[in-house]
Amino acid sequence: MAILKVKCDCGMTVEANVGDRMCNNKLHWFQSYYCNNCGNTSELDGVGNIPPDIETAIMEQEGRCGLFLNNSDDRQKAEFLLKKRQSDNLEKYKLFIEKKTDEILYGTKNEILLTEKYLKSKGGIDCLIKYY
């Protein structure tokens, strides 16, 4: 879990707990806080792409991960599977698909593990995870 500074409805800056997890082959994210100034509580959650500010906070505090192919011969198959993947934003894989990088994806540990699992189960593709 990470901390993200957000504005409460009363205008006070509060620390929100944010995080992500995998459940049933889907990425779930959350944000929650309690404001000591006005007593307001807020909870947000979702499935799929993590909002950028939450993703950034998680990566800054828990580390950034990158996903790479173990075998460059699997690149074409990986590109095909990533384009076919309906639940994700294709923008995440754009640089890899356009052959501008060897990094398939970077993000939170759970984002990477979910994509690694997808590529392994759908195409038998072995990947390497790097922690930054």
Side-chain angles (χ1 to χ4, degrees), residues 45-89:
D45 58 33
V47 178
N49 292 328
I50 304 171
D53 55 338
I54 294 174
E55 181 184 43
T56 298
I58 295 169
M59 288 189 298
E60 284 176 355
Q61 294 166 53
E62 296 179 1
R64 176 182 178 262
C65 299
L67 187 65
F68 297 83
L69 293 173
N70 270 333
N71 184 345
S72 60
D73 292 341
D74 288 333
R75 185 176 187 112
Q76 189 173 11
K77 189 183 341 179
E79 290 172 5
F80 173 79
L81 289 171
L82 293 171
K83 287 178 190 176
K84 185 177 166 186
R85 195 168 187 193
Q86 296 175 4
S87 64
D88 271 357
N89 183 352

Side-chain angles (χ1 to χ4, degrees), residues 22 25 27 85 110-118:
M22 293 186 303
N25 290 320
L27 185 67
R85 195 168 187 193
N110 287 324
E111 286 177 299
I112 299 306
L113 291 172
L114 192 61
T115 301
E116 177 195 36
K117 183 177 179 180
Y118 171 77

Side-chain angles (χ1 to χ4, degrees), residues 35-46:
C35 179
N36 288 325
N37 185 54
C38 69
N40 187 33
T41 60
S42 175
E43 292 191 24
L44 302 170
D45 58 33

